[in-house]
Amino acid sequence: MSAQGNLSGKTAVIVGASSGINLGVAKHLGELGARVAILSRTKAKIEQAAAELQGSGVEAIGLVADVRNADQLQTAFQSIHSQFGEFDILVSGAAGNFFADAKNISPNGFKTIVDIDLIGTFNVLRMGFDYMRRPGGSMINITAPQGKRAMPKQAHVCAAKAGIDMLTKCLALEWGAEGIRVNAVSPGPIEDTEGFARLATNSDLREQIEGALALPRLGQRVDIGRAVEWISSDQASFVTGTILDCDGGMVLGNLYSPD
């Protein structure tokens, strides 16, 4: 059992959790005793992910919703609320990405990433607002180092993640009086995820990425699960509007040895 405490009796809703980091977060919170609801836009994938959680002993349900569609989110959240009650933890993690020079990104390509990442995040939090526990509800956005650090071939993602970071702060400011905390967790390179596989397409790139971190190892999904666990716990009850970097020092910039 984690040192942060048991989540038995609590409800955690994780959006964008058919795989990768967000499914890892769902698994971690579920193993701590939370009832877990996961959402994604693809029925087959979310059903498979829910079955995986249930197979590991987690009380879990999977629902279909596209974060770009507020009505779908509303319907899904109503269903979760009817089964599990008020949301103690709401994690917004749906994201898109591709690598391209800005001059080669179409207006539609740029818009697609902003729609999924930034507008999708707003939709999740806005539609989830009515179902959050008050006081004590915790909303967590999954952002990325691109929100703070310019990166080549990532103009669209950097813009969207910077928007998520500021949205986190604005909603924390507005909703604190409602008894809801709003924070974000910013993962770095996480092993065995689709995002990392797209970034490190060969062993040389993998070594370069690891070597550029202050902590020279790749992150694991459980690292992000623990970060979400802590920031949503009573131990962080005075923390809101914070972007928690869980990236091995990636956001600090490229490191090098002058030997």
Side-chain angles (χ1 to χ4, degrees):
M1 184 60 62
S2 166
Q4 303 300 337
N6 195 305
L7 296 181
S8 294
K10 294 194 173 184
T11 295
V13 179
I14 302 94
V15 181
S18 61
S19 64
I21 289 173
N22 300 311
L23 181 56
V25 169
K27 184 173 187 291
H28 183 73
L29 299 182
E31 288 175 346
L32 293 174
R35 297 178 296 258
V36 172
I38 57 174
L39 288 78
S40 181
R41 63 180 177 175
T42 305
K43 187 174 187 290
K45 289 183 178 180
I46 203 65
E47 288 179 347
Q48 180 179 350
E52 180 181 331
L53 292 173
Q54 293 161 1
S56 64
V58 174
E59 183 179 358
I61 56 174
L63 299 95
V64 176
D66 188 324
V67 296
R68 295 169 291 186
N69 189 315
D71 290 339
Q72 289 183 14
L73 287 169
Q74 176 78 337
T75 298
F77 287 163
Q78 285 177 340
S79 178
I80 296 166
H81 185 261
S82 68
Q83 295 182 68
F84 288 165
E86 292 178 317
F87 305 171
D88 298 282
I89 301 167
L90 175 60
V91 179
S92 178
N97 196 358
F98 57 87
F99 294 90
D101 292 328
K103 65 183 180 182
N104 295 325
I105 301 173
S106 70
N108 187 62
F110 192 96
K111 180 179 182 297
T112 296
I113 298 303
V114 172
D115 282 349
I116 296 171
D117 287 32
L118 179 54
I119 296 175
T121 296
F122 175 78
N123 288 342
V124 169
L125 272 56
R126 176 61 190 89
M127 295 300 105
F129 175 83
D130 293 335
Y131 302 99
M132 295 299 296
R133 185 175 303 282
R134 296 175 175 79
S138 175
M139 295 177 166
I140 302 103
N141 295 321
I142 304 299
T143 182
Q146 287 96 321
K148 296 180 180 178
R149 178 182 171 193
M151 296 184 187
K153 301 182 183 297
Q154 291 281 272
H156 47 318
V157 177
C158 290
K161 298 303 186 185
I164 291 172
D165 291 356
M166 187 52 71
L167 180 65
T168 299
K169 295 175 182 293
C170 289
L171 298 187
L173 186 63
E174 290 194 23
W175 293 351
E178 301 271 357
I180 298 173
R181 296 186 297 113
V182 186
N183 293 289
V185 172
S186 179
I190 304 300
E191 196 169 24
D192 294 331
T193 62
E194 181 181 350
F196 183 71
R198 290 182 180 181
L199 185 65
T201 54
N202 58 60
S203 59
D204 288 342
L205 282 173
R206 178 189 173 103
E207 290 179 5
Q208 289 177 28
I209 293 166
E210 288 187 56
L213 300 175
L215 302 176
R217 72 166 178 88
L218 296 175
Q220 305 297 315
R221 284 185 280 185
V222 71
D223 292 317
I224 310 306
R226 289 169 180 160
V228 169
E229 175 196 349
W230 176 79
I231 210 166
S232 64
S233 74
D234 291 342
Q235 294 191 19
S237 62
F238 201 51
V239 178
T240 196
T242 291
I243 314 301
L244 176 60
D245 296 321
C246 188
D247 63 359
M250 179 179 180
V251 77
L252 302 176
N254 290 325
L255 305 177
Y256 67 95
S257 175
D259 42 301

